[in-house]
Amino acid sequence: MAGSGKSKGTPGKAKRWLVRGLKISVAAGVAGLLAVVIAVVIAMQSLPDYNSLKSSPNGQMIRVHAADGSVIVSLGPSFGRWMDYDQIPKVMVDAMISTEDRRFYLHPGVDPIGMARAAWVAVENRGKGRRWQGASTITQQVTRNIFLNNSYSWGRKVREMVLAMALERKFSKRQILELYLNKVYFGGGAYGIDAASRKFFGHSATTLDLPEAAIIAGLVKAPSSYSPTADAEAAIGRAGVVLDLMRDNGVISASERAAVDMQGVKLAPEPPQNSVRYFTDWALPQLDVLIDEPNEPLEVYTTIDLNMQKAATAAIQANMPAGTQGALVSLDRDGAVRAMVGGLDYVTSNYNRATTATRQPGSAWKIFVYMAALEAGYTPDTGITDEPVDINGWKPRNSSGRFSGDIDIRTAFAYSINTVAAKLGVEVGFPTVADMARRFGITTPINTHPSMVLGTSDVRLIDMTRAFASIARKGIAVTPYGITKVTTADGRLLYEHQDDTSRVLVAPWVAAGMTDLMQTAVSTGTGKAAQIGRPVAGKTGTTTSNKDGWFLGFSSGVTTGVWMGRDDARAVGGLQGGRAPARAFADYMKVAVAKRPVEPFETEVTLPEWQLEPDAEAYYGSPDNGVDDGMMVDENGLPIERARPAQPDPRDDQDMEVDPQDRLSSQRIDQQWIDNVLGRDRQRQPPPRPAPSP
């Protein structure tokens, strides 16, 4: 009997424990459900309104266009234009739901079925180091993108689920989809379908077709792996998986799936990222003063001409002496920057030598000396004497080592005669020369020592090019600019450049006289290597010890400046402005003006059969401000050792002229001889009389 009672009691006790356990489980479940409900309600109350969610957090997309409208670079986290749900193509919505959350319309923010499947996968892969994946709904992804981060922890996952259910209670499915499609990351810096569409296909998301929508939907899983710009084949392969899911979910038919031609999708070309970045690095910071729009995506239209930029890069790279750097700036007649090269290679050095570096310009600076003289009453035909000069102990010498006696201003400039520049500096006053340089846009400090006439003040290439462009524009100020127009992504105009022709720097006849001098320098003087088969006006520049070589000039409405040298300012054997820089100028300008009409200058120069070459820029190792006996002068006029060339360019031997004094030793090289060579029959004008003292 006793044993029988014990056996009857055991099942009863087990039953009681089972019932108790069920009650505890139900109570725990109810408590947990109540806790979830309370948490969701509290989360709902803390959620911002829909408009606030649309704008937070955000970033600004900037797409930069070349002069022909093509995109050259996209910068910043790109959010594109906000797409309202009704503007989003249905194929894009269907592709995203089929790929990321096919039960989106059925769950309350979390998907129990998806969570169970993910848990089972996690059990199967226990110990393999794989995370619990595949359980996040579209709503959970929205909460993670807006409120949380991508750190993996159970605490973050619980908060994510609570916020997801709160979102579902406060907002509609359409609103959640709109948030998701405008904020999810698609790779390449693109957030949202409009930014992705513009980056990968070059057009707005409003016109996305089925294959394009499939590519974009496939990027969410692994943006870096499936990005069309990184691996187009992988992107197309992943899009095929998306199309299969769309077919399986019934949003497209089998025939529609079979008709899709993924190979026919046209991807936007990846914009250039090398030398053009020198230009964008210079131009884009100007947006801060041009517009006041920190949030909306921007379309920035610029002046850069990609064909001219390509030619500029090739010209610099082809002509730079070994071990040197080079820079080039090219301006249209109104100041539009058509090409800018800041160095040999942007990837290895993003330092912009065209806009940032300051170097001595050598004889290129003489344009300010001669313009000051022209404004004071001199003309290109004014007579002047090339003779020894002593200015408070400073005794500049000509690089030829000779003095030509009575010559005119045109000849002195063409052959870059230093003594004449020094005499003109004394006549007009060194502060007047400095004022002329300031007037023409030189922004760096300018000294007023006598040696300044030979270019001892540091300058920037873009400033010097600006000065030459203002001369080419007949004395009207030119301001370099790179941005023509800025709009929002939907076309709202924020800024448009307006040309200002109101600032006149010198009288037109002064600019014409300076152009006369500079075309002579190219036709018969130190700049012959810059000839391009049409009228060119320009000036060479070479500094002491061959540290810097310059050529700046203009033709047919295009003004271009070229600089070459070493970043550490060490001497470069064989570097003169009339050699490598002038050749780079010519190589570039032949392309730059090829489609432009020939524009003759107001005065023309007849080329002689052969030219006098007294300026040693055309010889190895002698810069504009050298002295005789193989010596050169520094910025104080003191002799220094001349750098000897190493591995000279073989083309230089072909360009060298026999010294006319050796060829015609019995003749005196004076102004009469020069006039005979140049075929000129005219009377020199006397120098202007100085103004009487009051």
Side-chain angles (χ1 to χ4, degrees):
M1 290 294 293
S4 176
K6 186 177 180 179
S7 62
K8 288 181 179 180
T10 301
K13 187 176 180 180
K15 184 177 181 180
R16 287 195 301 272
W17 278 107
L18 179 60
V19 171
R20 186 179 298 173
L22 288 173
K23 289 180 179 180
I24 294 172
S25 298
V26 171
V30 171
L33 180 60
L34 182 61
V36 170
V37 170
I38 294 173
V40 170
V41 171
I42 294 174
M44 284 179 58
Q45 294 175 347
S46 65
L47 288 176
D49 60 32
Y50 189 70
N51 288 331
S52 298
L53 291 179
K54 287 172 62 175
S55 62
S56 65
N58 214 341
Q60 189 172 38
M61 170 189 180
I62 300 177
R63 292 206 313 166
V64 185
H65 300 258
D68 63 0
S70 60
V71 177
I72 54 177
V73 67
S74 294
L75 301 174
S78 166
F79 279 78
R81 184 170 67 87
W82 187 270
M83 305 284 294
D84 293 333
Y85 183 84
D86 293 334
Q87 297 176 307
I88 301 172
K90 186 176 183 300
V91 290
M92 187 71 251
V93 176
D94 291 340
M96 196 63 74
I97 291 176
S98 297
T99 306
E100 292 298 312
D101 188 0
R102 62 190 180 94
R103 284 181 291 275
F104 174 73
Y105 292 108
L106 303 176
H107 62 65
V110 294
D111 182 6
I113 297 176
M115 293 176 65
R117 184 180 66 251
W120 178 254
V121 172
V123 170
E124 285 187 327
N125 293 278
R126 185 173 62 252
K128 296 182 180 179
R130 293 181 58 181
R131 292 178 175 179
W132 186 4
Q133 297 177 342
S136 292
T137 63
I138 283 177
T139 313
Q140 287 175 263
Q141 293 182 51
V142 170
T143 62
R144 186 163 62 245
N145 288 339
I146 297 178
F147 303 111
L148 305 173
N149 54 48
N150 289 320
S151 65
Y152 188 83
S153 67
W154 284 106
R156 194 270 294 164
K157 195 69 177 178
V158 171
R159 291 195 300 274
E160 177 186 296
M161 290 189 289
V162 170
L163 286 170
M165 289 186 284
L167 276 177
E168 292 271 358
R169 295 293 298 173
K170 187 166 184 175
F171 304 113
S172 68
K173 292 283 187 179
R174 286 164 58 102
Q175 288 177 312
I176 292 171
L177 273 174
E178 183 180 312
L179 284 171
Y180 179 71
L181 290 171
N182 280 284
K183 287 187 173 291
V184 70
Y185 181 60
F186 291 102
Y191 291 82
I193 58 172
D194 189 60
S197 178
R198 293 177 186 274
K199 177 173 180 60
F200 300 127
F201 308 119
H203 60 73
S204 168
T206 56
T207 58
L208 284 169
D209 58 22
L210 178 58
E212 291 173 340
I215 289 176
I216 289 179
L219 296 175
V220 178
K221 181 179 180 180
S224 59
S225 299
Y226 297 123
S227 171
T229 55
D231 191 338
E233 188 174 337
I236 291 174
R238 172 63 179 166
V241 175
V242 173
L243 291 170
D244 291 340
L245 291 172
M246 295 176 70
R247 179 197 59 202
D248 296 343
N249 292 338
V251 295
I252 62 172
S253 65
S255 60
E256 287 176 317
R257 168 65 183 95
V260 174
D261 178 20
M262 294 304 303
Q263 301 302 320
V265 176
K266 294 183 178 180
L267 298 174
E270 189 72 4
Q273 294 292 317
N274 199 337
S275 69
V276 76
R277 289 297 304 274
Y278 289 115
F279 170 77
T280 56
D281 286 355
W282 169 77
L284 291 181
Q286 300 169 29
L287 289 173
D288 292 338
V289 297
L290 298 179
I291 62 172
D292 183 18
E293 178 50 69
N295 297 317
E296 284 201 54
L298 302 178
E299 303 287 342
V300 180
Y301 296 87
T302 71
T303 59
I304 201 75
D305 183 302
L306 294 182
N307 290 330
M308 295 171 74
Q309 179 70 21
K310 181 179 179 181
T313 303
I316 291 296
Q317 293 178 343
N319 290 282
M320 282 199 314
T324 65
Q325 280 286 353
L328 180 150
V329 175
S330 186
L331 307 179
D332 216 322
R333 65 178 80 246
D334 67 341
V337 177
R338 297 303 183 191
M340 178 181 287
V341 178
L344 181 62
D345 180 69
Y346 181 87
V347 175
T348 57
S349 173
N350 60 11
Y351 179 62
N352 195 335
R353 297 157 186 85
T355 61
T356 305
T358 58
R359 305 293 289 253
Q360 290 184 359
S363 283
W365 179 267
K366 291 177 182 176
I367 63 166
F368 305 121
V369 179
Y370 280 80
M371 275 196 294
L374 292 172
E375 194 171 58
Y378 285 82
T379 72
D381 295 326
T382 299
I384 198 166
T385 303
D386 173 19
E387 60 187 352
V389 174
D390 186 340
I391 306 174
N392 297 325
W394 181 61
K395 301 177 181 180
R397 301 287 185 88
N398 297 324
S399 54
S400 65
R402 300 186 301 271
F403 301 104
S404 300
D406 293 337
I407 57 175
D408 60 17
I409 294 295
R410 178 184 287 106
T411 301
F413 184 87
Y415 300 123
S416 200
I417 295 177
N418 293 325
T419 56
V420 171
K423 292 177 73 173
L424 292 176
V426 172
E427 289 289 333
V428 301
F430 301 115
T432 302
V433 176
D435 175 71
M436 182 65 71
R438 282 269 179 260
R439 208 188 305 176
F440 273 77
I442 300 302
T443 58
T444 46
I446 301 173
N447 71 65
T448 54
H449 302 309
S451 61
M452 63 94 73
V453 298
L454 303 185
T456 59
S457 295
D458 289 341
V459 295
R460 296 184 179 92
L461 174 60
I462 193 169
D463 288 348
M464 287 294 291
T465 309
R466 172 187 186 179
F468 277 73
S470 297
I471 297 171
R473 210 179 189 188
K474 304 184 186 305
I476 296 175
V478 170
T479 301
Y481 72 97
I483 298 175
T484 58
K485 182 175 67 173
V486 182
T487 70
T488 59
D490 57 3
R492 180 166 60 90
L493 182 65
L494 299 177
Y495 165 80
E496 190 166 22
H497 176 78
Q498 300 293 328
D499 187 19
D500 179 12
T501 60
S502 63
R503 293 179 57 236
V504 179
L505 305 178
V506 291
W509 58 267
V510 174
M514 195 67 240
T515 301
D516 182 352
L517 298 180
M518 290 195 291
Q519 66 170 327
T520 306
V522 174
S523 299
T524 68
T526 61
K528 293 196 305 296
Q531 296 174 10
I532 59 173
R534 62 171 68 193
V536 175
K539 184 69 182 80
T540 58
T542 309
T543 61
T544 55
S545 301
N546 298 45
K547 295 176 182 178
D548 303 271
W550 299 71
F551 187 87
L552 303 103
F554 49 85
S555 178
S556 303
V558 177
T559 302
T560 300
V562 176
W563 167 87
M564 293 180 183
R566 289 176 59 101
D567 285 338
D568 59 8
R570 291 173 58 188
V572 180
L575 176 63
Q576 289 90 39
R579 293 184 176 278
R583 284 195 291 260
F585 172 91
D587 288 350
Y588 165 73
M589 289 290 284
K590 288 174 184 177
V591 177
V593 303
K595 297 181 180 180
R596 297 184 178 223
V598 175
E599 297 182 15
F601 299 123
E602 294 180 2
T603 58
E604 296 183 0
V605 174
T606 302
L607 288 175
E609 293 183 0
W610 56 277
Q611 295 85 26
L612 174 67
E613 193 69 76
D615 189 283
E617 277 194 358
Y619 295 91
Y620 288 129
S622 297
D624 290 355
N625 52 345
V627 295
D628 54 358
D629 298 326
M631 302 295 290
M632 297 178 295
V633 295
D634 60 18
E635 61 272 18
N636 299 312
L638 299 174
I640 59 174
E641 288 294 333
R642 182 174 62 187
R644 299 297 178 182
Q647 298 179 342
D649 190 323
R651 292 179 294 177
D652 292 340
D653 293 333
Q654 302 170 12
D655 295 341
M656 290 179 64
E657 296 284 347
V658 176
D659 190 330
Q661 191 171 31
D662 295 335
R663 181 184 296 177
L664 300 173
S665 57
S666 62
Q667 297 188 24
R668 172 180 169 78
I669 302 178
D670 55 13
Q671 183 60 49
Q672 182 179 356
W673 185 89
I674 295 172
D675 289 343
N676 291 335
V677 170
L678 296 180
R680 294 192 298 226
D681 183 15
R682 46 129 181 87
Q683 296 295 320
R684 292 194 308 279
Q685 300 175 2
R689 294 180 178 274
S693 302

